[in-house]
Amino acid sequence: MSTTYSISDLARELDITTRAIRFYEEQGLLAPERRGQERIYSARDKVSLKLILRGKRIGFSLAECRELIELYDPTSGNHVQLNSMLAKIAERREQLEQQLLDIEQMKLELDTAEERCTQALAQTMAQVGH
């Protein structure tokens, strides 16, 4: 028999809320079995959930997480999924590098604006003093 999990098992094990798990289910990212009102999650659902959480931490969209989940195929060693993930990681890294450059540029702009304000304030104070 394969391992199964209740929603509270997954929430506790992965340190997330049951509400978050239900949200991912509503988004079509998880597909638990139903026994009456009870959700029964498979080992595959657990892997998908881990992938979603990791994806979120590194800035992937839910659509990107969905793509990766759809590529999950342990019978093939997940080569397609892993290559796709590597491409998405490289893309995300490029975005972050650009954001870092943008932040550095913004800091320079702030420094310049601050310096001009400080000089203008000093001139105003000097004029008032005379």
Side-chain angles (χ1 to χ4, degrees):
M1 184 178 142
S2 61
T3 305
T4 59
Y5 307 88
S6 70
I7 194 168
S8 55
D9 291 338
L10 284 181
R12 190 171 38 256
E13 195 170 325
L14 300 175
D15 196 28
I16 60 172
T17 64
T18 56
R19 183 176 178 193
I21 296 171
R22 285 192 298 273
F23 172 77
Y24 297 132
E25 183 184 340
E26 289 164 13
Q27 297 300 309
L29 297 168
L30 302 172
E33 286 181 42
R34 295 282 190 150
R35 286 195 198 129
Q37 289 294 324
E38 189 182 9
R39 293 169 168 88
I40 308 297
Y41 294 89
S42 66
R44 182 185 178 105
D45 288 320
K46 182 179 174 183
V47 168
S48 295
L49 196 48
K50 283 181 166 182
L51 186 62
I52 293 164
L53 297 173
R54 181 177 299 127
K56 269 185 55 181
R57 281 194 306 273
I58 59 178
F60 289 174
S61 68
L62 283 183
E64 289 171 314
C65 290
R66 179 178 287 110
E67 281 177 47
L68 292 169
I69 289 167
E70 288 170 357
L71 295 173
Y72 179 69
D73 181 13
T75 60
S76 74
N78 288 312
H79 295 289
V80 175
Q81 182 191 45
L82 293 170
N83 283 324
S84 180
M85 185 143 181
L86 284 171
K88 288 183 185 313
I89 287 169
E91 188 179 309
R92 183 68 183 132
R93 183 172 277 121
E94 271 182 46
Q95 291 170 348
L96 288 172
E97 292 294 336
Q98 185 58 55
Q99 286 176 328
L100 270 174
L101 290 173
D102 293 346
I103 289 169
E104 287 301 322
Q105 182 62 41
M106 196 177 295
K107 284 170 59 180
L108 289 172
E109 303 258 349
L110 286 169
D111 290 345
T112 302
E114 181 180 43
E115 192 176 315
R116 286 186 180 152
C117 286
T118 302
Q119 286 173 353
L121 189 58
Q123 286 176 348
T124 304
M125 298 301 279
Q127 289 171 356
V128 170
H130 285 348

